[in-house]
């Protein structure tokens, strides 16, 4: 088992990968740097290997697929995951590692948004999207994560080995955050400086399509991790619509004429009311199953910790 593993998922980062590998090897003397090449069409893999990284490959396209492969294959006491585009300074890695190894923190978030991100990043929709995602998750899950979508994080062994990677693309960061919050894992923030990509290096993010995928991921994880709140909200919306239509279209005319003039509307209102009731009880059932999953997860955490101690 490595003491510290630096994991770098890469796709066409030949202009920056050498500097990233070198910076982290200099900043963390006892680390092993792993570069996972994701079907690059340039010399990313060769340059990384020449710089001293252990190079491996993931042939399913998408950052989530790369992270899944990395988390399955690498054994370490502490993991640093960072992008290969040289936007995250390596000098903050030692502080992040210290929090994992000495404070037993499960996930350390490299917080860009509290420092230079909004000044350095030249894409205004990315700025808005990061702020929106942070607001939504902190409100829905009642937490205080400063940067949801940062690509610079540190993890404990038990987080890595119990985290089920379901996302395929850039929404993986959102999934990591929500998993840590929902499973009551220890999370800390470290404010880092962010620098925009150097000239000639291009982002792989598509502002709108990737943004929509992230918002869809938040909605799905809200449903999966907070089923009672999610389905209660659905039930409340259905019930409000049902009452508004029933009162305006059925009840008020009935008071004047003492005749139900719109039987189809009355029938539809009945079915919508039943749907609201079913949604609420579905949430209650799923919440019971979720509590059972939480208990089973605690046992998996203990097993992961026992296995980790044996392999040190």
């Amino acid at each position: 088992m490595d003491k510290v593993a630096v994991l770098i998922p890469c796709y066409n980062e030949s202009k920056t990968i050498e500097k990233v590998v070198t910076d982290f090897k200099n900043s963390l003397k006892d680390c092993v740097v792993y570069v996972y090449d994701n079907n690059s069409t340039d010399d990313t893999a060769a340059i990384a290997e020449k710089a001293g990284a252990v190079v491996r490959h993931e042939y399913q396209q998408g950052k989530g697929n790369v992270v899944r492969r990395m988390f399955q294959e690498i054994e370490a006491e502490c993991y640093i995951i960072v992008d290969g585009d040289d936007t995250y300074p390596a000098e903050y890695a030692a502080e992040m590692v210290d929090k994992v190894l000495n404070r037993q923190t499960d996930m350390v978030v490299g917080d860009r948004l509290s420092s230079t991100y909004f000044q350095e990043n030249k894409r205004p929709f990315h700025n808005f999207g990061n702020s929106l995602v942070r607001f939504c998750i902190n409100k829905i899950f009642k937490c205080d994560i400063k940067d949801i979508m940062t690509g610079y994080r540190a993890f404990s062994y038990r987080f890595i080995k119990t985290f089920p990677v379901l996302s395929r693309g850039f929404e993986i960061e959102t999934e990591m955050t929500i998993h840590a919050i929902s499973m009551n894992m220890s999370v800390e923030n470290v404010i880092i400086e962010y620098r925009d990509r150097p000239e000639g290096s291009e982002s792989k993010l598509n502002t709108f399509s990737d943004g929509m995928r992230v918002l869809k991921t938040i909605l799905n994880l809200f449903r999966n991790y907070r089923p009672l709140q999610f389905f209660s909200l659905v039930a409340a919306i259905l019930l409000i619509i049902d009452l508004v239509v029933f009162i305006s279209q059925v009840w008020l005319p009935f008071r004047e004429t003492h005749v139900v003039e719109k039987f189809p509307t009355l029938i539809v209102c009945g079915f919508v009311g039943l749907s609201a009731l079913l949604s609420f009880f579905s949430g209650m059932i799923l919440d019971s199953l979720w509590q059972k999953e939480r208990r089973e997860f605690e046992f998996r955490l203990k097993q992961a910790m026992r296995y980790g101690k044996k392999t040190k």
Side-chain angles (χ1 to χ4, degrees), residues 130-181:
N130 273 280
S131 299
L132 177 63
V133 169
R134 178 175 62 178
F135 174 81
C136 290
I137 289 181
N138 284 333
K139 284 296 182 184
I140 292 172
F141 293 92
K142 295 180 174 57
C143 59
D144 187 28
I145 306 298
K146 302 299 184 182
D147 191 348
I148 305 298
M149 300 177 67
T150 178
Y152 195 9
R153 299 169 189 252
F155 300 100
S156 66
Y157 177 86
R158 72 174 195 158
F159 180 97
I160 295 295
K161 296 307 178 183
T162 58
F163 172 55
V165 180
L166 302 178
S167 300
R168 298 181 181 180
F170 285 98
E171 64 271 25
I172 182 66
E173 284 94 358
T174 305
E175 186 180 356
M176 291 174 180
T177 303
I178 294 176
H179 176 78
I181 297 164

Side-chain angles (χ1 to χ4, degrees), residues 71-266:
F71 286 5
Q72 288 175 349
E73 293 183 350
I74 306 301
E75 302 284 328
E77 293 181 44
C78 176
Y79 300 76
I80 293 279
I81 184 168
V82 66
D83 294 339
D85 54 10
D86 193 32
T87 56
Y88 300 107
E91 53 263 31
Y92 297 95
E95 181 183 356
M96 298 168 77
V97 168
D98 179 70
K99 287 183 180 295
V100 172
L101 295 181
N102 298 321
R103 289 175 54 87
Q104 288 78 52
T105 305
D106 291 303
M107 183 175 74
V108 182
V109 176
D111 173 18
R112 312 160 296 167
L113 304 188
S114 298
S115 61
T116 57
Y117 181 78
F118 294 108
Q119 291 76 38
E120 287 288 323
N121 184 47
K122 305 302 189 296
R123 295 153 292 185
F125 283 109
H126 284 210
N127 296 340
F128 172 75
N130 273 280
S131 299
L132 177 63
V133 169
R134 178 175 62 178
F135 174 81
C136 290
I137 289 181
N138 284 333
K139 284 296 182 184
I140 292 172
F141 293 92
K142 295 180 174 57
C143 59
D144 187 28
I145 306 298
K146 302 299 184 182
D147 191 348
I148 305 298
M149 300 177 67
T150 178
Y152 195 9
R153 299 169 189 252
F155 300 100
S156 66
Y157 177 86
R158 72 174 195 158
F159 180 97
I160 295 295
K161 296 307 178 183
T162 58
F163 172 55
V165 180
L166 302 178
S167 300
R168 298 181 181 180
F170 285 98
E171 64 271 25
I172 182 66
E173 284 94 358
T174 305
E175 186 180 356
M176 291 174 180
T177 303
I178 294 176
H179 176 78
I181 297 164
S182 299
M183 293 304 181
N184 197 31
M185 306 191 90
S186 175
V187 180
E188 293 193 35
N189 300 285
V190 169
I191 297 176
I192 64 168
E193 290 186 5
Y194 174 86
R195 52 190 178 226
D196 205 11
R197 282 174 171 267
E199 187 175 351
S201 176
E202 296 182 1
S203 174
K204 315 306 183 298
L205 285 171
N206 183 292
T207 302
F208 295 102
S209 64
D210 286 320
M212 291 304 297
R213 285 164 62 186
V214 168
L215 292 176
K216 181 181 177 182
T217 299
I218 293 173
L219 187 64
N220 288 336
L221 293 173
F222 179 32
R223 181 194 63 203
N224 293 336
Y225 285 98
R226 296 287 191 273
L228 183 57
Q229 292 91 324
F230 178 85
F231 286 100
S232 294
L233 179 61
V234 172
I237 293 171
L238 289 174
L239 187 60
I240 290 170
I241 294 172
D242 186 51
L243 288 174
V244 169
V245 174
F246 175 77
I247 292 171
S248 63
Q249 300 298 317
V250 179
W251 175 247
L252 291 179
F254 175 77
R255 288 188 63 185
E256 294 179 2
T257 64
H258 300 288
V259 176
V260 177
E261 298 176 348
K262 298 180 179 179
F263 267 103
T265 303
L266 178 61

Side-chain angles (χ1 to χ4, degrees), residues 57-69:
H57 298 269
E58 170 55 49
Y59 297 103
Q60 290 190 87
Q61 198 65 38
K63 186 175 182 179
N65 291 322
V66 180
V67 170
R68 179 170 175 262
R69 178 72 63 184

